[in-house]
Amino acid sequence: MDPQTIAVINAGSSSLKFSLFEVTSSGPVRRIRGQISEINTAPVFSARIGSQTAAREQILGEAHAGHQRCLHYLLEWLGQHAQVHAAGHRVVHGGLAFSQPIVVDSAAIKALEGLIPLAPLHQPYNLEPIRALSRLYPGLMQVACFDTAFHATKRKEARRFPLPRALADAGIRRYGFHGLSYEYIAMKLKEVDPVLAQGRTVVAHLGNGASMCAIHGGKAVDSTMGLTAADGLPMGTRSGALDPGVLLFMARELNMSLETIEDVLYRQSGLKGISGLTHDMRLLEQSQHPGARDAIDVFVYRIQQQFGALCAVMGGIDGAVFTAGIGENSSLVRRQTLRGLGWLGFELDDTANAQHATRITTANSNIPAYVIPTDEDLMIAHHVQNILAV
Ligand code: AMP
């Protein structure tokens, strides 16, 4: 009998990422990984099959632009490579109702559409492939996995904004995001450092989207993100936490419309806004422009600040993990961050850090820091395989 296969789809506003996994007795094993980038303008399809080291690229061009057309292309392509038994989707917001992965039916799709106002820049794109697949393959099992779900264990003080109760009842709460990444790191940490996996860890997910999470014994205690994925650390183009008065000032004194403010908060701020150059950490690191230095300094300062806050809510810290594009690849950001955190017990090993080794602190360091590449798709595949096994 052919092995069962799971397709994982992670649909964003401008890209469609996907993986194909084979179900095995020791968990899902990835067979294909790929993406369609620039889907709104000039889509480019790329995929790596099996042990291929380089991805094969195909320019789809303007004729394929748009979510629907790209999705169709992807589903046909997947159909040619495997008979898919189940699909897993990354869905950014599960709201109050969904704190576990769910098998999707039409009622669930409706409920998830109701959460679009809480994540207007992510949720609509996450739901498109679910709807498309249920139209094309009505019998296919589809599982939605939520970025908010891992944070359901947060203490109740961490979930409340200090706002009137009626607003909390309307769903205005601190949810937290990047949960599939944190869940994966918590799972992987059991292999990398089983003692730390039982202890208090600060995980820094530093990519174009960036957040940090306090995890104690594998469970979330608090994180830097709140109602939306715009809170907390500065990101590639998002501001992160602001004085709420800034929004009122922009609206009242600067006469900025809601749309303009949203554009500033989500697309013109963060590393891009501070530097005046780019959101891309690689380019910032190479740049001699003073704005680039400023952007990195502010980013690191906020990370260090949040280390302090997250340690405090756990009553201490036993170790740290860096992950995602910047966390996995920027030895500069890790070095600058940990150099300012010696008081917590970190002693950086410069050579290990420069080599992106798994452990980047010295043998004498009081507490360890690790670099662990995240894999949200694999986490989703684990959830789907667990549901398939029931
Ligand atoms: P992600 O959203 O997780 O894909 O992360 C994207 C971010 O990671 C961008 O800011 C990239 O510039 C950054 N990044 C990727 N590779 C490197 C690298 N080798 N050095 C520094 N930053 C990197």
Side-chain angles (χ1 to χ4, degrees):
M1 203 170 77
D2 281 348
Q4 288 192 307
T5 57
I6 298 168
V8 173
I9 300 180
N10 181 348
S13 58
S14 65
S15 72
L16 263 177
K17 296 187 179 139
F18 64 94
S19 298
L20 202 75
F21 293 89
E22 211 169 277
V23 171
T24 77
S25 56
S26 51
V29 174
R30 185 182 263 108
R31 294 289 175 232
I32 298 176
R33 180 207 291 264
Q35 68 168 329
I36 306 180
S37 56
E38 305 303 329
I39 57 183
N40 300 306
T41 46
V44 178
F45 177 92
S46 64
R48 223 167 57 200
I49 302 176
S51 56
Q52 283 174 352
T53 44
R56 273 192 300 184
E57 264 194 16
Q58 193 181 342
I59 293 169
L60 303 184
E62 274 173 41
H64 280 86
H67 271 84
Q68 290 287 340
R69 277 188 286 249
C70 285
L71 205 52
H72 253 261
Y73 183 91
L74 172 60
L75 297 179
E76 264 182 28
W77 188 90
L78 280 175
Q80 284 161 16
H81 286 80
Q83 201 210 328
V84 175
H85 291 84
H89 301 268
R90 178 180 182 194
V91 176
V92 74
H93 224 301
L96 293 174
F98 303 114
S99 55
Q100 296 284 333
I102 55 161
V103 175
V104 181
D105 57 18
S106 54
I109 294 180
K110 222 167 180 179
L112 295 174
E113 284 171 345
L115 298 171
I116 287 175
L118 293 179
L121 303 182
H122 295 96
Q123 193 90 341
Y125 307 111
N126 301 158
L127 299 182
E128 278 213 22
I130 301 182
R131 282 191 295 253
L133 274 174
S134 50
R135 270 195 308 270
L136 283 168
Y137 308 102
L140 182 74
M141 180 203 270
Q142 297 199 69
V143 176
C145 300
F146 304 102
D147 261 323
T148 47
F150 182 69
H151 300 286
T153 56
K154 275 175 22 174
R155 30 199 284 197
K156 75 177 179 353
E157 303 90 310
R159 281 186 263 132
R160 272 300 286 270
F161 285 112
L163 286 169
R165 181 171 292 276
L167 293 176
D169 293 344
I172 302 186
R173 308 216 183 173
R174 296 189 66 244
Y175 294 92
F177 297 89
H178 293 134
L180 291 158
S181 173
Y182 293 127
E183 191 180 9
Y184 176 80
I185 297 295
M187 180 174 85
K188 198 74 190 162
L189 199 56
K190 289 186 195 158
E191 287 167 33
V192 172
D193 186 336
V195 175
L196 179 57
Q198 297 299 316
R200 298 159 299 181
T201 313
V202 170
V203 181
H205 175 112
L206 310 176
N208 280 328
S211 72
M212 293 165 66
C213 187
I215 301 179
H216 192 170
K219 300 232 175 333
V221 178
D222 199 356
S223 80
T224 58
M225 275 182 171
L227 173 75
T228 68
D231 198 7
L233 299 176
M235 302 173 222
T237 61
R238 286 174 246 166
S239 65
L242 290 173
D243 169 356
V246 172
L247 308 188
L248 299 176
F249 188 92
M250 288 199 279
R252 192 178 293 134
E253 303 298 326
L254 305 180
N255 280 324
M256 291 165 76
S257 68
L258 209 55
E259 290 70 27
T260 308
I261 293 175
E262 184 173 86
D263 187 53
V264 169
L265 297 184
Y266 279 90
R267 299 187 193 90
Q268 309 299 340
S269 297
L271 297 174
K272 180 181 170 192
I274 302 168
S275 68
L277 299 168
T278 173
H279 68 280
D280 191 326
M281 184 55 82
R282 263 171 304 208
L283 301 179
L284 291 173
E285 286 187 5
Q286 289 156 15
S287 171
Q288 300 302 317
H289 194 287
R293 197 65 260 162
D294 287 347
I296 296 174
D297 288 348
V298 173
F299 187 56
V300 167
Y301 176 80
R302 294 287 184 124
I303 296 168
Q304 290 173 332
Q305 200 181 39
Q306 291 308 310
F307 255 97
L310 295 174
C311 290
V313 297
M314 291 191 291
I317 179 171
D318 301 306
V321 177
F322 289 86
T323 193
I326 299 171
E328 292 165 27
N329 297 297
S330 173
S331 47
L332 176 81
V333 167
R334 293 191 305 254
R335 186 174 69 235
Q336 233 178 285
T337 301
L338 289 181
R339 285 230 171 119
L341 296 177
W343 61 278
L344 284 177
F346 294 109
E347 187 180 271
L348 187 70
D349 178 335
D350 275 314
T351 311
N353 183 48
Q355 292 168 347
H356 312 293
T358 302
R359 182 175 165 134
I360 55 170
T361 41
T362 64
N364 288 330
S365 185
N366 282 341
I367 55 173
Y370 295 102
V371 175
I372 302 181
T374 195
D375 195 338
E376 290 148 325
D377 285 5
L378 180 53
M379 195 65 241
I380 293 171
H382 272 284
H383 285 305
V384 178
Q385 179 161 344
N386 288 342
I387 289 177
L388 277 172
V390 173

